[in-house]
Amino acid sequence: MKKCVVIYNPHSGKKKKQDFIAQFQSVLEDNGYSPEFIQSKYRAHITEIVRELPNDIKLVISLGGDGTFNESMRGNFQREKRLVLAHIPTGTTNDVGKMFGYGKNIINNLKLLMKGTVKKIDICTINNEPFVYVAGFGRFMNIPYETSRKSKKKLGYLAYLINGAKDLLIDRSKLHDITYIIDGEEYNGLYSFMFVANATRIAGVNNVFHDVKLDDDRFEVLFCNIKKKKDILRTLYYLRKTDITHVPGFYFHKTNNIKIRVNDEGKIPWCIDGEKLEIDTQEVEIKIDKNVHIMLPSTKIDDLFVQKKGNKKK
C-alpha cells in the first residue's frame, strides 16, 4: 500500500461532515493507499506538517479552502525533497478547487481525484514564497482576509459580497505610486490595486482571464487605476460585455517575471491566496517555479494544461 497523508482544516467552510474520515479511508484503501489523517490546529500548522513529513509519502491531500492549499504548498517548498500534493475544497469560495473541476461533495471529489493524474504545474513565488493562484494589494484585495470567519461560516460566499458592497460605498480609492519592470520594460503609475494570477477563476468569478494555462511558464498581471465609485460601476458594466484586458483603466501583461517597487511610505499588506501577507520590503519579485507536481481530476486537463498527458499515479 502507498502511504498517503490527509490534512484537514476543521474551520474551513460553512460545515463539514464529521464522518468523512471513514469514507475517505475506504476510498483511499480501495485505490491502494494507506492513509493517515491529521487535523490542523492553528494558522500555518499545515505548513509545518508538510515540511516535516517523511520522504516515502506518495500523496499529500489537503482539505480546506484556498488558504489551506497555500499552507500545504509553502510546506512543500520548505522541503529538500518535494512531495506530490492534491487539494479537495471545503472552503467558502474554493477558486482553486472549482478551477480543477471539483464539485461540492467531498467524497465524490476524492473519487474524481483517484481517477485523476499527476501534473507538473507552474507555481508563482513572491520573494521566493509560493502562492497557488493569486497575489495582490490595494482596493478590494483586503476583503478575503478581513471577512470574519464567523460570517463566512454563517453566510458563505455572500459574506464576501456584503463586505465588497460596503467597500464600494467609499467614493474614492487610494492610489499607490508603483514602478514595475516586465521583460526589460519599466513602467510607472498610480494604481488603486493590482494582482498577479495563474488561474481561470478568481474571487468566485470564472474566466477572469481567457486562455490561461497552468504549465505555459506564464502568469497574468493586471494593474488598475480606477479610483471613483462611478468609474468602478461603469467598469462592472463593461465586464459584462468584454474581456477584462480590454476594459478602460486596466493594464494587462502576460509574463514569467515581474519586479514591483512600491514608492509609498509604509508597508502595504498583500493578499496571497485569500490570506494576508506582510512583506517587510517595498520591492518584490514574482517569478515561476516549475518543479512542482500536483494530482488533480482529469476533467479539466485539456482546458488547463498545454501538456495534455499527465503522469501515472505512483
Side-chain angles (χ1 to χ4, degrees), residues 58-201:
K58 297 301 182 183
L59 181 64
V60 179
I61 304 174
S62 58
L63 274 76
D66 299 320
T68 298
F69 194 27
N70 174 280
E71 286 195 24
S72 181
M73 187 65 69
R74 291 182 72 181
N76 213 24
F77 267 64
Q78 293 172 15
R79 299 176 56 87
E80 186 172 332
K81 179 183 178 182
R82 293 178 184 171
L83 303 172
V84 176
L85 303 184
H87 180 69
I88 292 179
T90 63
T92 304
T93 306
N94 298 321
D95 286 324
V96 174
K98 291 178 180 178
M99 176 175 66
F100 286 171
Y102 289 116
K104 294 183 178 180
N105 186 292
I106 63 172
I107 307 303
N108 290 340
N109 286 341
L110 179 61
K111 293 177 180 178
L112 280 176
L113 178 65
M114 291 295 99
K115 295 177 181 178
T117 186
V118 175
K119 295 290 295 181
K120 201 169 188 179
I121 187 173
D122 297 339
I123 292 295
C124 296
T125 63
I126 177 168
N127 289 358
N128 297 318
E129 287 288 335
F131 59 93
V132 175
Y133 79 111
V134 67
F137 64 84
R139 187 163 190 184
F140 302 118
M141 298 302 294
N142 59 314
I143 292 171
Y145 60 77
E146 288 187 353
T147 302
S148 70
R149 178 178 293 172
K150 181 179 179 181
S151 63
K152 286 188 286 187
K153 279 188 171 292
K154 182 178 180 180
L155 301 173
Y157 182 62
L158 180 60
Y160 292 123
L161 296 180
I162 291 172
N163 270 9
K166 290 178 180 178
D167 197 291
L168 192 58
L169 294 176
I170 301 172
D171 190 48
R172 285 180 177 270
S173 301
K174 178 181 178 180
L175 295 178
H176 303 280
D177 183 3
I178 305 297
T179 301
Y180 63 96
I181 300 173
I182 291 181
D183 300 329
E185 293 288 332
E186 183 173 306
Y187 305 84
N188 180 260
L190 299 173
Y191 303 101
S192 52
F193 70 88
M194 68 77 59
F195 63 84
V196 171
N198 191 30
T200 60
R201 178 185 166 95

Side-chain angles (χ1 to χ4, degrees), residues 257-274:
N257 184 281
I258 180 173
K259 295 180 180 178
I260 303 170
R261 184 174 71 248
V262 181
N263 300 314
D264 300 347
E265 292 185 2
K267 294 181 181 179
I268 292 181
W270 284 70
C271 181
I272 308 293
D273 294 337

Side-chain angles (χ1 to χ4, degrees), residues 27-38:
V27 172
L28 288 166
E29 288 179 348
D30 287 345
N31 285 275
Y33 288 99
S34 175
E36 176 186 0
F37 295 85
I38 305 175

